[in-house]
Each structure stands twice: as structure tokens, then as C-alpha cells.
Amino acid sequence: MGNRPEELRALLDSVAKQDGDPIEVVVVGNGAPLPGLPDLPGGLRTVELPENLGIPGGRNVGIEAFGPGGRDVDALLFLDDDGLLPGTDTAELCREAFTADDELGIISFRIADPDTGQTQRRHVPRLRASDPMRSSRVTTFLGGANAVRTAVFQQVGGLPEEFFYAHEETDLAWRALNAGWAIDYRSDMVLHHPTTAPSRHAVYHRMVARNRVWLARRNLPAPLIPVYLAVWLLLTLARRPSRPALRAWLGGFKEGWTTSCGPREPMKWRTVWRLTRLGRPPVI
């Protein structure tokens, strides 16, 4: 977004220090001018977009910078501009993981606060999130701290640009799982990122609700759509949001039903069972 130049330079420096082959880097200015950036061993390219396309739209531009579906490279790292890789072995761990497991399509890193070392519960992409140090197969991933095999994009497409913000990772994850790919959460691959609350974004409550409806309408078998959305409605009410937050959430929920969600490709029932066996049936 162009408002964290020092953090961005620190991130790029941590990428340059990675072991193994140098990493090619693309920095996307998502509707914002980019600051002066350092040269990197693997090369650095920049793209300045005239308008903010949202998180998935900006990341899709980064993917296409490596050829259609990112085909010029084997895998892509996606890193938030205010994050930092504290270890120098993360890229090599990604290479080893993808080489060892042909089924592995996406790796979700562990996000830890740089000062406390703590990982927020919401950053562990599974229901049983009490132990962030346990690696496992999962059903979704973290958007600003991950690696994706580019064959996934070439098979199932990119991130859903119409989402703009929220749940775009789960949309891609469900499509990837439906195509037979696996997703790993790896606690040993760490991105340092300051502890934050997602509600810091002004559009949070509306887009979370709207995109939750879109996610279900796009990906779930018809009988599961009302179950999934009823569960999330009840969970939202149980958390007792403030009146303005609830009003925004309900407005987004309505918007999700009354606006186009994009192409619908419901997952197979065997994928529903696979998600269930992984510990997160697609009703929550």
C-alpha cells in the first residue's frame, strides 16, 4: 500500500539473505507509488497499479509477472510488506517440502510477533489452534505468509479478485483441495509480523460477511450453503459485536446474497469428506 517503506526494505533484506538460489522478487504497488528499493541478488521488478485492486487483485498481478499462472517459476512466496523472515532457511525449507511431496500445493507459514514470539490463535489455520508449534495438514492458509506451487494456479486459477479483502485464501484453498492438492501448516517456517487485530480495517465487518456468503455460494454443494452460513451467523451473534459492527456485518451478509459471487464450481462430496477428515468440515 506504499505506507511502510522501512518495513518493506527490511523484508526485502531478509529475502536477500535466504540460503540457496537467489529469489526473484516482484513488488506490486497496489494503487500507491513505490519507494526507492534496493537491488537484490535474484533481481527485483516493480509494478505500480493506478488503483487499488484489493489484496487478491494485487497478488494476482504479482503472479502474472512470472508468466501466465506464474509458469516461469516453480513456486511463489507471498509475504506481507510489514513482515520479515527471521530465518535464512525458509526458502530452502519450501524447496525441500515441495520436492519431497508431489501432492503438496500450498504451505502456510507460522506468523509470530517479533517482540513476544507469540502466534495469534487466528493465525493457526485449523480449528484446534491451541498449539501453534504443531505442524499439520490443514484446509486453508495465511495470505501474507505462504508459498504456493505455481501448478496450483495453472490448474484452478488465481485468487478471486472480486473479494477485494477477506476469505480469498480459503476460496483458493477449497479449489486446490478439490483438485487433489494438499495444504501444510509449517511451524518451522516463520514470518515475523506485529500483532494486530483484523478489525483495524474499516471494511472488515462488511467484507468478512459478504465474502463468507460468496465463498459458500461459489464452492459448497447446495445443501451445505444454508448450514454453513447459519453457523457463521450464530457464531457472529454469540461474539456480541458492537451495534455498528453488527449493522455492517448484516449489511455485508445481505450484499453477499444480492450481488454476483462470480463463477460457481461446487466442490465434490469427496472433498467435503476430505475436509472433514482434516478436522474442518465445510460447515464452520
Side-chain angles (χ1 to χ4, degrees):
M1 292 299 296
N3 57 355
R4 296 187 282 243
E6 295 304 318
E7 292 90 339
L8 175 58
R9 291 188 186 95
L11 170 65
L12 294 175
D13 185 54
S14 74
V15 171
K17 292 177 180 177
Q18 292 297 299
D19 301 331
D21 293 336
I23 298 174
E24 298 178 60
V25 175
V26 168
V27 177
V28 178
N30 205 354
L34 291 171
L37 298 173
D39 294 328
L40 297 179
L44 184 148
R45 286 174 281 167
T46 59
V47 180
E48 290 191 3
L49 301 176
E51 62 177 314
N52 181 1
L53 300 182
I55 294 173
R59 287 182 180 149
N60 282 344
V61 169
I63 294 167
E64 295 300 307
F66 293 99
R71 68 183 182 189
D72 295 344
V73 293
D74 295 321
L76 289 170
L77 304 181
F78 294 87
L79 305 171
D80 272 356
D81 62 351
D82 55 346
L84 184 141
L85 296 172
T88 62
D89 61 347
T90 304
E92 281 292 86
L93 289 172
C94 287
R95 294 182 181 110
E96 292 169 4
F98 284 131
T99 300
D101 187 352
D102 290 340
E103 186 180 288
L104 181 61
I106 303 172
I107 302 170
S108 188
F109 301 170
R110 180 169 64 88
I111 293 179
D113 185 274
D115 297 321
T116 66
Q118 293 183 339
T119 297
Q120 292 179 272
R121 186 181 182 90
R122 69 185 182 90
H123 284 153
V124 182
R126 57 175 179 249
L127 289 180
R128 296 180 178 178
S130 60
D131 182 9
M133 300 307 294
R134 179 172 68 88
S135 299
S136 68
R137 288 282 209 236
V138 290
T139 61
T140 188
F141 64 100
L142 306 175
N146 68 79
V148 183
R149 197 189 295 265
T150 52
V152 173
F153 296 123
Q154 292 153 33
Q155 183 175 1
V156 306
L159 294 155
E161 296 189 7
E162 53 267 75
F163 280 39
F164 196 85
Y165 165 79
H167 303 318
E168 67 273 1
E169 302 93 352
T170 300
D171 185 88
L172 176 62
W174 283 1
R175 285 183 283 128
L177 289 163
N178 195 51
W181 295 101
I183 306 170
D184 276 358
Y185 167 71
R186 289 282 298 265
S187 64
D188 57 336
M189 300 181 189
V190 180
L191 181 82
H192 275 174
H193 188 283
T195 297
T196 56
S199 55
R200 70 191 186 278
H201 299 290
V203 297
Y204 172 76
H205 296 288
R206 179 176 68 85
M207 289 197 174
V208 159
R210 183 197 68 182
N211 293 358
R212 185 77 72 183
V213 178
W214 282 357
L215 178 69
R217 290 175 58 200
R218 285 165 59 97
N219 294 287
L220 290 181
L224 293 185
I225 295 175
V227 180
Y228 177 83
L229 295 175
V231 167
W232 278 105
L233 176 60
L234 292 174
L235 282 173
T236 299
L237 295 175
R239 291 168 179 166
R240 302 181 68 179
S242 67
R243 189 180 296 273
L246 181 59
R247 188 181 301 114
W249 195 95
L250 292 173
F253 193 82
K254 178 182 178 181
E255 185 181 348
W257 285 108
T258 57
T259 57
S260 173
C261 64
R264 171 168 164 77
E265 295 184 18
M267 65 178 66
K268 307 177 184 73
W269 283 104
R270 68 184 181 192
T271 304
V272 173
W273 175 236
R274 184 183 183 191
L275 290 164
T276 303
R277 287 189 291 111
L278 286 169
R280 188 154 198 162
V283 293
I284 189 170

